[in-house]
Amino acid sequence: MDFNMKKLASDAGIFFTRAVQFTEEKFGQAEKTELDAQFENLLARADSTKNWTEKILRQTEVLLQPNPSARVEEFLYEKLDRKVPSRVTNGELLAQYMAEAASELGPTTPYGKTLIKVAEAEKRLGAAERDFIHTASINFLTPLRTFLEGDWKTISKERRLLHNRRLDLDACKARLKKAKAAEAKATTVPDFQETRPRNYILSASASATLDDTSRPPSWAEWKEDYPGGWRRPCFFLVPLNPSVTRARGCLSLPKDRKLWNDEADKAEQELRVAQTEFDRQAEVTRLLLEGISSTHVNHLRCLHEFVESQTTYYAQCYRHMLDLQKQLGSSQGAIFPGTFVGTTEPASPPLSSTSPTTAAATMPVGPSVAGLAPPGEAALRLEEVAPPASGTRKARVLYDYEAADSSELALLADELITVYSLPGMDPDWLIGERGNKKGKVPVTYLELLS
């Protein structure tokens, strides 16, 4: 391989210089160029957006796929740019087991028939879950991954460049400051008639000429021996302070000042170049950080689509379970008369139907019923209905309910009533009693207590 040693050495030197500059800033030994408050706010908002996007993405993946091994498998397929194989959902797998159990235990038995009905419902639930996962992955997860793997990487790259430009700018400022200080010291001509300072030693030429007992000549002796501008001095007094130039050959003090002037001019030129590069990089980074607002708008739209897909999924689940509950209720009423249908868990209010004939409402109305009596028979009078000897239970009302007619009982949230079921009743309704009042009440508005 062809290595450019000069470039490699130059890059290593730049890296070392930046590392030293960064370390000195951390310990407060070097000045640091501060960014304006608006820029700092943009940086903080970008970091916060990135962190929360990662957390939301990971937790959404857990919601859609609780199995960690399956998530790892999907991640590997994505990195290998291969299609993720279709996977059976838990509901579909449960439906398969129930169907096989019904086939083996007897599909004509009551238990087998019930297994078949539940298996069909679970299969529909699994299909709805598959559609929901697919829709959520495309409309919600993909935009979040695109931001983290695309836009955020670009922002991070430009921020690193801005950081390096700032370190270079601070280094140029420090170099110019040292050059100015050395130039100011070089303009001061030392008085050699004074006693030689401690930090001055004789140069090599002076040490070879003078022995240990010799003393340096005075300024008057120096000027008398070299009246032509000190072009051929025998020795120089060399300061140990590195900010003052050492004597080299036959350099004179005016020429030494010119060298420091040139050094200061060079440092100023480098500072101007570094400042220009820093300003340009800061503007590029600022534009990218301001684009986070567009990212928020895009994520907001994706979030609405995720909520819509989740609402559709849960509405489908509710309809499927409601149908299953009706099927099981009718068969259970025939097998176990005098019992009522319902769950002991708190029920949520029914979702509004998507059919055009149903009006959307904040609190959906309970399902309609044809009455207490089956079709073709005379309707029972509630006053004549007596509660069964067994099968009554207490129930807590979850939501307010307005009675549609005189056969129904109005409900208030959090009140306790007595409920029971009658043979032939719609499984979505129960008979409710509160004091001397009696009427039909929807099951979905009740929490049955043990």
Side-chain angles (χ1 to χ4, degrees), residues 31 171-182 267:
E31 296 181 359
C172 290
K173 289 181 179 179
R175 193 178 304 118
L176 177 61
K177 185 177 180 180
K178 293 179 180 179
K180 290 289 186 181

Side-chain angles (χ1 to χ4, degrees), residues 230-411:
W230 341 308
R231 285 297 177 183
R232 294 184 59 196
C234 295
F235 57 85
F236 279 115
L237 292 178
V238 183
L240 290 177
N241 189 345
S243 63
V244 182
T245 306
R246 293 176 179 270
R248 297 183 299 273
C250 295
L251 290 178
S252 61
L253 294 179
K255 187 176 182 181
D256 206 27
R257 285 196 297 269
K258 184 177 183 302
L259 290 176
W260 282 117
N261 290 334
D262 295 341
E263 185 69 20
D265 294 341
K266 181 180 178 181
E268 290 179 353
Q269 179 65 23
E270 292 178 351
L271 178 61
R272 285 193 292 269
V273 174
Q275 185 69 53
T276 301
E277 293 179 352
F278 173 78
D279 294 340
R280 181 169 60 250
Q281 186 60 38
E283 185 63 25
V284 172
T285 308
R286 182 188 298 272
L287 292 176
L288 290 175
L289 294 176
E290 290 176 349
I292 294 293
S293 300
S294 301
T295 301
H296 288 180
V297 174
N298 183 35
H299 288 182
L300 176 62
R301 178 182 57 81
C302 297
L303 185 60
H304 278 284
E305 294 178 355
F306 173 73
V307 172
E308 291 178 1
S309 62
Q310 196 171 28
T311 303
T312 303
Y313 166 64
Y314 286 125
Q316 292 175 350
C317 292
Y318 174 77
R319 288 195 296 271
H320 295 329
M321 295 309 297
L322 191 61
D323 295 339
L324 176 62
Q325 189 182 39
K326 290 180 180 179
Q327 297 176 16
L328 296 183
S330 58
S331 61
Q332 188 177 7
I335 300 173
F336 306 105
T339 60
F340 57 87
V341 180
T343 59
T344 57
E345 298 296 330
S348 300
L351 295 173
S352 58
S353 175
T354 56
S355 63
T357 58
T358 304
T362 305
M363 178 60 67
V365 181
S368 61
V369 294
L372 291 175
E377 298 182 8
L380 296 177
R381 299 180 60 183
L382 292 177
E383 295 80 1
E384 300 176 357
V385 174
S390 61
T392 61
R393 292 179 66 175
K394 291 292 185 179
R396 184 174 66 88
V397 180
L398 298 177
Y399 318 101
D400 293 342
Y401 177 73
E402 294 291 338
D405 51 42
S406 59
S407 66
E408 296 180 0
L409 179 65
L411 302 176

Side-chain angles (χ1 to χ4, degrees), residues 174-246:
R175 193 178 304 118
L176 177 61
K177 185 177 180 180
K178 293 179 180 179
K180 290 289 186 181
E183 181 184 11
K185 289 186 178 181
T187 56
T188 305
V189 179
D191 188 2
F192 292 105
Q193 293 180 352
E194 300 291 336
T195 303
R196 184 177 64 185
R198 284 187 174 184
N199 64 336
Y200 278 80
I201 62 172
L202 293 176
S203 64
S205 59
S207 299
T209 306
L210 302 176
D211 55 14
D212 295 338
T213 60
S214 301
R215 66 173 180 82
S218 65
W219 178 255
E221 295 173 345
W222 182 310
K223 188 175 181 180
E224 181 179 356
D225 293 338
Y226 301 97
W230 341 308
R231 285 297 177 183
R232 294 184 59 196
C234 295
F235 57 85
F236 279 115
L237 292 178
V238 183
L240 290 177
N241 189 345
S243 63
V244 182
T245 306
R246 293 176 179 270

Side-chain angles (χ1 to χ4, degrees), residues 143-162:
L144 298 186
R145 291 195 188 102
T146 302
F147 166 72
L148 294 175
E149 297 175 1
D151 297 345
W152 181 254
K153 287 187 176 180
T154 303
I155 292 175
S156 300
K157 178 182 176 182
E158 298 299 331
R159 287 179 64 177
R160 288 193 296 269
L161 290 177
L162 177 63

